[in-house]
Amino acid sequence: QLHLQESGPGLVKPSETLSLTCTVSGGSISRTAYYWAWIRQPPGKGLEWIVTMDYSGNTYDNRSLKSRITISIDTSKNQFSLNLSSVTAADTAVYYCARGALRDFDFWGQGTLVTVSS
Amino acid sequence: DVVVTQSPLSLPVTLGQPASISCRSSQSLLYSDGNTYLNWFQQRPGQSPRRLIYKVSNRDSGVPDRFSGSGSGTDFTLKISRVEAEDVGVYYCMQGTHWPITFGQGTRLEIK
């Protein structure tokens, strides 16, 4: 059974970098058939796609966030990570990691709330 | 960016009655490979989104057959033939044809 689990600090100070990791279990992150993504949801609001990557590091990102995003994948640990720099209160959200095809998400993690506040 | 507009935003439904959600995109979602990348997700209270329908009309494994998707081009619909209590939540359509991937605003389904 596939399981995705987000982890990282729940509180980040303004102007600092938000760092999250998604640990995948029940399946290999190296399978070429799949892509791995980050999506966020501000409290009480809708969903915003952030970035999609494949196991070899090729990425597709939301240009509204592009300059602040750094992503990585660690196939030895079956994990992928997101760094979002220069955060503001507008970056407060539940962050989800997900698996899918290039243009789709078929399986989501449970999400982790990140609050940006001093 | 492709704008995806859902209606209604709030949908009160009596148990056992049908429900329908519309999703319209600002550009055609037909991709050059012949596929239309329009998906539907259900988000129950306190849960992460769950995909119900992919590529317009394909139901995911385990999704009850009372859920169905249809449409083409820029106009799409999610239908629930008979609403059950477990269907309460927010429904999102999402387009994956054009970058960036974008979601509709969500439709909140509640029981009358």
Side-chain angles (χ1 to χ4, degrees):
Chain A
Q1 175 77 6
L2 185 71
H3 185 73
L4 282 68
Q5 181 67 59
E6 305 87 351
S7 59
L11 181 64
V12 181
K13 290 182 167 56
S15 79
E16 294 189 345
T17 295
L18 177 162
S19 297
L20 295 172
T21 295
C22 181
T23 301
V24 179
S25 56
S28 172
I29 203 169
S30 300
R31 282 198 64 185
T32 57
Y34 293 119
Y35 290 76
W36 306 93
W38 289 97
I39 301 137
R40 69 181 182 179
Q41 184 173 35
K45 296 188 178 180
L47 299 160
E48 179 183 29
W49 169 71
I50 300 171
V51 64
T52 295
M53 71 188 89
D54 66 19
Y55 81 100
S56 61
N58 296 311
T59 63
Y60 303 78
D61 46 40
N62 194 328
R63 54 181 174 268
S64 68
L65 298 168
K66 183 184 175 76
S67 62
R68 299 197 288 136
I69 294 172
T70 305
I71 55 159
S72 61
I73 193 162
D74 187 336
T75 55
S76 67
K77 294 182 179 178
N78 232 30
Q79 294 177 334
F80 62 103
S81 298
L82 170 72
N83 283 353
L84 181 64
S85 64
S86 304
V87 296
T88 69
D91 295 308
T92 294
V94 175
Y95 285 76
Y96 297 100
C97 59
R99 183 197 77 171
L102 177 59
R103 301 172 182 277
D104 192 4
F105 317 113
D106 65 347
F107 204 89
W108 298 54
Q110 67 183 30
T112 187
L113 175 63
V114 179
T115 301
V116 178
S117 175
S118 55
Chain B
D1 297 0
V2 172
V3 177
V4 181
T5 304
Q6 291 182 227
S7 63
L9 299 185
S10 178
L11 184 55
V13 184
T14 301
L15 285 173
Q17 292 301 302
S20 179
I21 301 171
S22 170
C23 177
R24 291 185 172 172
S25 59
S26 59
Q27 299 179 36
S28 174
L29 298 185
L30 177 62
Y31 189 54
S32 54
D33 64 2
N35 290 307
T36 298
Y37 294 97
L38 187 285
N39 306 319
W40 290 95
F41 296 87
Q42 175 196 59
Q43 188 173 32
R44 290 172 170 154
Q47 295 187 13
S48 56
R50 165 201 182 195
R51 194 180 69 179
L52 299 176
I53 302 284
Y54 62 96
K55 286 189 277 187
V56 181
S57 59
N58 297 277
R59 211 169 29 245
D60 269 276
S61 175
V63 174
D65 61 7
R66 63 178 182 276
F67 288 92
S68 63
S70 63
S72 64
T74 61
D75 289 345
F76 305 91
T77 303
L78 175 71
K79 292 183 178 178
I80 309 173
S81 59
R82 295 173 306 279
V83 169
E84 298 189 6
E86 66 177 17
D87 300 334
V88 166
V90 181
Y91 291 79
Y92 294 94
C93 57
M94 182 209 90
Q95 70 80 23
T97 299
H98 303 280
W99 299 107
I101 292 171
T102 49
F103 292 85
Q105 320 95 299
T107 295
R108 185 173 302 276
L109 186 150
E110 63 180 37
I111 305 300
K112 274 185 189 174

